[in-house]
Amino acid sequence: MFPLDLLSSSAPVAAPASPLLADLNEEQLAAVTLPAGHALILAGAGSGKTRVLTTRIAWLLQTGQATPAGILAVTFTNKAAKEMTARLSAMLPVNVRGMWIGTFHGLCNRLLRAHHQAAGLPQAFQILDMQDQLSAVKRLCKQHGVDDERFPPKQLQYFIAGCKEEGQRPGDVAVKDPDTRKKVEFYQLYEEQCQREGVVDFGELMLRSFELLRDQPHLRAHYQRRFQHILVDEFQDTNRLQYAWLKQLAGDEVGGQMRTQGSVIAVGDDDQSIYAFRGARVGNMADFVREFDVQRQIKLEQNYRSFSNILDSANALISHNSRRLGKNLRTTQGPGEPVRVYEAHNDLAEAQWMVEEIRQLVKNDGFERQQIAILYRSNAQSRVIETALFNAGVAYRVYGGLRFFERAEIKHALAYLRLLENPHDNTSFMRAVNFPPRGIGARTVEVLQDAARSAGCSLSDAVTAVPGKAGANLGAFVAKIEVLREQTQGKNLRLIIEAVLEESGLLEHYRNEKEGADRIENLQELVNAGESFVTQEGFGRDAVALPLDEHGQALRQSPVSQGIDPTQPMLDQVLPGSQPAAGIIDIDTGETLSPLVAFLTHAALEAGDNQAQAGQDAVQLMTVHASKGLEFDAVFIGGMEEGLFPHENAMSDSGGLEEERRLMYVAITRARKRLYLSHSQTRMLHGQTRFHMKSRFFDELPEEALKWITPKQQGFGTFTPQSSGGYGGGGYGGSRGGFGAKTETFASPPVPPQKAAPSHGLRAGIAVFHNKFGEGKVLAIEGTGDDARAQVNFPRHGTKWLALAIAKLTIVD
DNA sequence: CAGCTACGACTTTTT
DNA sequence: GTCGTAGCTG
């Protein structure tokens, strides 16, 4: 956007004339141009937080205070990471791939792939999502005869995840009672199972890479030296382990004080901390200030989003919380419309009121439908609202629900793909073994599991131990996988996925199913996703990292390197204008992640885009939690009742109540121009009609900003929509979640033609020699120049992808 | 072994 | 009320 004069690196450090810094307010400018040192930025809702973060990075680069390789910016969601990356590359003609910008888990993944040996993992380790983790837990429960009345698998999963979030291994958990002891024992068994199968769950990604840094001094020192500028987004939502992880990267702790070389900038808002239930610890903010001896705190209190009636409501509400760092949003905008409050007789009437107001907003006030949001505390509330919208023919879209990579048919396909990479992945084995049905029932699987347990091997290896027809069926399945692995050897990702879909029988199965058309469409979409993953996304952001230095030494220069800064260790420095990097590279062997492993990682770490269809002209429905970070011209908050909002489960203790209040604060601050609140006297909940008092939060809002609206008509549900549209015009029935954007996100351009005359002289079919792996046969070549990689089959080590710039391959005559 | 029925849960959720 | 799972029956 801004034409930037990047070449004049002699620009003064505090260049006020820099177009980068134009239009920043005083607070923002101060935050962007903070001198070296640790800082806490309290960024209120709508205060331009993302802009400050990205401009800060751009400014550091532009003024020569940082190189791309020296920057680590971490977020919670892929969406936030993507946005940061996109904005940054719009600001500066810099190759953002050289920077470590990503989610906590994405960056952990990078670390672990690059240092998999030091971390004790196979390079191609697979990542379990929550579904996978739960089925792994269930499997283990069965195997050990765990009483699932006393220890429901869900609870064990929660326990394990909770321990890891606190940074605790089984040995670290304080055992207070017999139940805890049992759980810890189970935790231990679970760990062993994961290690055996070469899989890690989300918590393990964090914990394992934390331990890697903690236990490998030279590695830690290396990264500490490298990342001179660490920036953390949504700091109030970090859990204990994430904070500990950051500390490892920032420096060493001595007597409760951090000794650091670079600077850490934490950006957050304690008033928007709404994830305590999943381990977020607002206290990390205070700890950060103390342990890092933070001298600078900046508050961004200028709000650019809302009219003052809305903002005053938010300020007034949140002032009822104690234990705040203290912040008051202000705006230069006028009061705007009052906040409208509606009391309905029942939930249906509430929904109909919303629909009617929305029609008027669109018809009379020219609001766009996608700029109107209906927020609710719990998902169950959406049904009535959806019905009302549908009946009125108003297009809507519900956020949440299943994402693309979580759909059953996709999970099945992924299970087959994972088995190609790792036959010992029992979670995937279990998912695929009898789907599509091939006569392998629960009984057979039980026999197999017993055999595997007594032989101490994977399910795949145990099939030969199962006798009879059952054994034959199992053998056929394993053989099928092996044939598939054979067939796809050296093929590109698209062909691999296509082969799996066909050979697994998945396509055939869904072709014969009545409702299978959508599923087949999704499976086709998976092929497209694989294709664009390779051609468009360059193997995905999280998978990308160039050579890592295990010993803190500068690495051997790669032959064709240009634009490498010799004063910096050659970690992840990206060649300007080069093709996307080849993926994670093991420095000792030159081994890279295969496109398939990279894709599977991508699928686990990024379950799919939720806002793919956001552009539609449709009213947005979502939970308050899901609305965080978004903004709308008009916002409706329904179900403002005691027991619902604040939720009954959170009302008992003050901590829970304060979190509910923060949740309400988040909801209010989503609105730009109009805010509508409603509550209902009665509501269907869990199949029962319940009576509710109006929420206490109403009493905490400034009376002068509110306008109470009474029902136009008395009685129950007598309201009739009067306008022309009438019935079912929309046909938008809950199209939940999904990848949707078939034409946008995954439009795959023609595959770029292979560059001619490869300098390495390798081609498929010839024999090569590798120092560590010995002699092997080249199966495929991908990429060019520094990014060229070869797939080589070594008789003793299996099939590897090797970066030709790193791996020393000699051609065997 | 697969399909069907009954029963229980049920706040929020990203990686 | 509705979804998902567990257990039973054909």
Side-chain angles (χ1 to χ4, degrees):
Chain A
M1 293 207 106
F2 312 88
L4 273 180
D5 182 10
L6 239 206
L7 299 175
S8 64
S9 55
S10 57
V13 164
S18 169
L20 217 50
L21 306 180
D23 304 321
L24 293 175
N25 68 33
E26 208 174 306
E27 302 161 343
Q28 292 172 329
L29 185 69
V32 166
T33 59
L34 274 167
H38 309 305
L40 177 67
I41 299 176
L42 282 174
S47 64
K49 176 195 69 170
T50 309
R51 184 170 175 214
V52 164
L53 258 172
T54 48
T55 312
R56 164 81 180 169
I57 296 173
W59 181 79
L60 286 171
L61 294 171
Q62 194 191 31
T63 55
Q65 297 177 76
T67 61
I71 286 174
L72 181 127
V74 59
T75 65
F76 273 88
T77 63
N78 290 301
K79 196 176 149 200
K82 257 184 210 162
E83 175 162 354
M84 208 186 285
T85 309
R87 285 215 209 179
L88 207 50
S89 42
M91 271 188 239
L92 286 182
V94 67
N95 192 335
V96 286
R97 301 185 78 96
M99 287 178 259
W100 278 42
I101 300 179
T103 63
F104 276 102
H105 294 84
L107 299 179
C108 287
N109 175 58
R110 276 195 198 185
L111 278 170
L112 293 179
R113 298 278 180 200
H115 305 286
H116 64 96
Q117 274 181 329
L121 289 169
Q123 199 206 17
F125 66 82
Q126 292 298 307
I127 299 168
L128 302 184
D129 67 12
M130 291 218 303
Q131 285 177 44
D132 299 330
Q133 191 190 20
L134 185 61
S135 54
V137 166
K138 280 182 180 167
R139 189 153 43 83
L140 199 60
C141 281
K142 276 239 173 67
Q143 202 181 110
H144 290 272
V146 175
D147 176 6
D148 54 6
E149 292 278 279
R150 225 155 63 98
F151 301 104
K154 276 242 172 66
Q155 202 188 305
L156 290 169
Q157 180 189 22
Y158 179 80
F159 174 80
I160 292 169
C163 289
K164 291 190 181 184
E165 271 161 13
E166 292 288 307
Q168 295 179 323
R169 290 294 179 190
D172 305 323
V173 184
V175 177
K176 318 176 275 273
D177 53 272
D179 268 24
T180 311
R181 196 169 53 80
K182 268 262 179 261
K183 285 187 202 170
V184 171
E185 280 169 20
F186 186 85
Y187 179 15
Q188 177 67 41
L189 290 169
Y190 171 83
E191 294 270 90
E192 288 161 8
Q193 174 175 269
C194 287
Q195 190 64 31
R196 262 200 316 276
E197 298 179 9
V199 297
V200 300
D201 59 42
F202 286 132
E204 188 69 22
L205 279 174
M206 282 297 323
L207 184 51
R208 191 70 75 105
S209 62
F210 162 76
E211 290 168 346
L212 176 75
L213 293 167
R214 183 195 61 193
D215 301 338
Q216 308 275 337
H218 60 279
L219 241 166
R220 182 173 69 243
H222 171 77
Y223 282 105
Q224 288 177 1
R225 213 175 315 127
R226 176 183 166 171
F227 295 125
Q228 291 296 300
H229 296 276
I230 297 176
L231 301 97
V232 194
D233 193 18
E234 305 280 16
F235 191 78
Q236 78 285 347
D237 286 335
T238 51
N239 62 37
R240 202 172 229 113
L241 177 58
Q242 285 158 340
Y243 178 53
W245 182 89
L246 283 166
K247 289 206 287 190
Q248 292 294 335
L249 285 171
D252 293 341
E253 192 170 358
V254 181
Q257 283 295 306
M258 292 299 297
R259 300 253 174 92
T260 59
Q261 300 161 27
S263 52
V264 179
I265 297 200
V267 184
D269 181 358
D270 56 327
D271 290 334
Q272 291 189 72
S273 167
I274 56 173
Y275 286 112
F277 70 90
R278 66 174 198 213
R281 203 173 156 273
V282 208
N284 283 348
M285 291 181 112
D287 288 357
F288 171 64
V289 170
R290 190 180 66 253
E291 292 170 349
F292 282 74
D293 188 27
V294 171
Q295 297 299 316
R296 289 166 203 274
Q297 295 190 36
I298 294 179
K299 290 180 186 177
L300 304 179
E301 297 178 298
Q302 176 77 37
N303 175 287
Y304 293 97
R305 185 180 291 159
S306 315
F307 283 105
S308 69
N309 274 335
I310 295 170
L311 218 51
D312 292 346
S313 301
N315 282 330
L317 179 90
I318 202 64
S319 71
H320 287 80
N321 269 5
S322 57
R323 300 193 291 266
R324 296 176 61 216
L325 295 175
K327 194 164 39 52
N328 216 38
L329 294 178
R330 52 172 198 277
T331 177
T332 53
Q333 299 196 60
E337 292 285 311
V339 176
R340 290 186 168 76
V341 183
Y342 184 77
E343 177 180 65
H345 296 293
N346 57 36
D347 45 356
L348 188 70
E350 180 189 37
Q352 287 174 330
W353 169 75
M354 288 178 176
V355 171
E356 183 50 30
E357 290 288 351
I358 287 171
R359 299 172 81 109
Q360 287 184 15
L361 281 173
V362 173
K363 210 163 100 195
N364 304 338
D365 302 310
F367 281 56
E368 291 176 73
R369 260 179 286 270
Q370 74 258 30
Q371 280 303 327
I372 301 172
I374 301 178
L375 311 183
Y376 33 81
R377 177 65 180 83
S378 73
N379 283 307
Q381 290 169 254
S382 79
R383 233 183 44 76
V384 183
I385 300 169
E386 283 186 65
T387 309
L389 286 164
F390 185 80
N391 288 343
V394 177
Y396 67 91
R397 176 171 145 57
V398 186
Y399 274 62
L402 277 189
R403 272 103 45 95
F404 182 75
F405 287 113
E406 291 167 353
R407 308 181 104 95
E409 63 274 21
I410 301 299
K411 293 287 284 184
H412 281 122
L414 292 175
Y416 282 91
L417 291 168
R418 283 157 75 142
L419 285 176
L420 292 188
E421 271 302 331
N422 174 11
H424 308 302
D425 178 348
N426 288 347
T427 302
S428 298
F429 187 96
M430 289 285 284
R431 181 182 279 276
V433 70
N434 198 35
F435 197 94
R438 50 175 70 90
I440 299 172
R443 187 63 248 193
T444 305
V445 171
E446 220 165 279
V447 173
L448 177 66
Q449 285 181 311
D450 284 347
R453 183 163 29 129
S454 51
C457 66
S458 69
L459 295 174
S460 178
D461 286 344
V463 294
T464 49
V466 179
K469 190 163 168 289
N473 283 342
L474 284 169
F477 170 69
V478 171
K480 178 172 270 209
I481 298 291
E482 274 164 16
V483 168
L484 208 45
R485 188 178 301 125
E486 205 68 22
Q487 277 176 3
T488 53
Q489 199 79 218
K491 296 260 173 65
N492 70 36
L493 188 53
R494 176 192 195 96
L495 293 173
I496 296 175
I497 298 173
E498 280 174 345
V500 160
L501 294 186
E502 204 49 66
E503 297 299 316
S504 65
L506 281 172
L507 283 178
E508 179 66 17
H509 175 80
Y510 288 122
R511 272 197 281 268
N512 296 330
E513 202 176 64
K514 270 204 306 284
E515 312 280 317
D518 282 353
R519 298 191 184 269
I520 289 182
E521 205 174 302
N522 285 328
L523 289 173
Q524 298 297 350
E525 198 53 42
L526 183 67
V527 177
N528 295 340
E531 180 74 7
S532 80
F533 179 70
V534 173
T535 58
Q536 309 248 117
E537 302 184 28
F539 281 28
R541 301 182 318 283
D542 285 331
V544 172
L546 278 173
L548 283 161
D549 177 0
E550 295 271 5
H551 314 287
Q553 303 293 313
L555 294 179
R556 354 167 188 175
Q557 291 285 96
S558 66
V560 221
S561 57
Q562 341 129 5
I564 295 277
D565 179 355
T567 65
Q568 292 291 316
M570 202 192 88
L571 296 182
D572 303 66
Q573 292 193 53
V574 169
L575 316 177
S578 74
Q579 292 289 307
I584 305 280
I585 301 177
D586 184 304
I587 190 57
D588 289 331
T589 63
E591 187 180 350
T592 74
L593 220 48
S594 79
L596 178 55
V597 175
F599 181 64
L600 291 171
T601 300
H602 166 78
L605 250 28
E606 242 173 295
D609 239 332
N610 255 345
Q611 22 82 273
Q613 306 175 337
Q616 280 184 2
D617 182 26
V619 174
Q620 315 280 308
L621 269 65
M622 67 192 83
T623 62
V624 178
H625 282 93
S627 76
K628 191 170 170 217
L630 305 175
E631 54 183 320
F632 305 92
D633 284 340
V635 168
F636 290 78
I637 308 172
M640 294 284 306
E641 295 135 39
E642 287 292 291
L644 234 196
F645 204 180
H647 197 276
E648 54 194 344
N649 297 0
M651 290 191 328
S652 50
D653 65 306
S654 74
L657 191 63
E658 295 213 343
E659 177 135 324
E660 294 291 304
R661 194 175 280 114
R662 290 193 291 270
L663 203 46
M664 182 66 194
Y665 176 78
V666 167
I668 293 174
T669 53
R670 298 310 93 197
R672 290 196 200 99
K673 299 173 182 160
R674 304 284 179 93
L675 178 63
Y676 298 83
L677 311 176
S678 60
H679 68 105
S680 175
Q681 294 162 351
T682 64
R683 177 178 300 277
M684 275 290 258
L685 216 57
H686 309 324
Q688 283 187 339
T689 302
R690 292 180 33 169
F691 292 80
H692 288 290
M693 304 288 288
K694 73 180 196 317
S695 172
R696 71 187 69 188
F697 294 151
F698 282 118
D699 304 330
E700 302 173 2
L701 298 176
E703 195 56 48
E704 62 277 13
L706 306 183
K707 181 174 174 184
W708 295 77
I709 302 170
T710 41
K712 294 186 183 98
Q713 288 161 293
Q714 290 298 319
F716 283 60
T718 51
F719 183 88
T720 40
Q722 61 267 64
S723 99
S724 50
Y727 234 72
Y732 278 91
S735 60
R736 282 171 186 266
F739 242 72
K742 285 164 190 120
T743 46
E744 276 172 24
T745 322
F746 286 110
S748 6
V751 183
Q754 288 289 320
K755 290 235 174 70
S759 55
H760 43 68
L762 294 182
R763 64 191 154 74
I766 67 175
V768 291
F769 181 81
H770 184 281
N771 277 344
K772 197 152 177 176
F773 300 138
E775 204 167 304
K777 192 172 152 195
V778 176
L779 297 166
I781 308 278
E782 272 193 29
T784 54
D786 267 11
D787 293 321
R789 51 197 178 276
Q791 191 187 32
V792 185
N793 182 261
F794 297 100
R796 309 181 74 217
H797 296 90
T799 305
K800 310 276 185 197
W801 281 91
L802 303 170
L804 297 181
I806 306 297
K808 280 174 244 144
L809 286 180
T810 47
I811 296 171
V812 182
D813 293 321

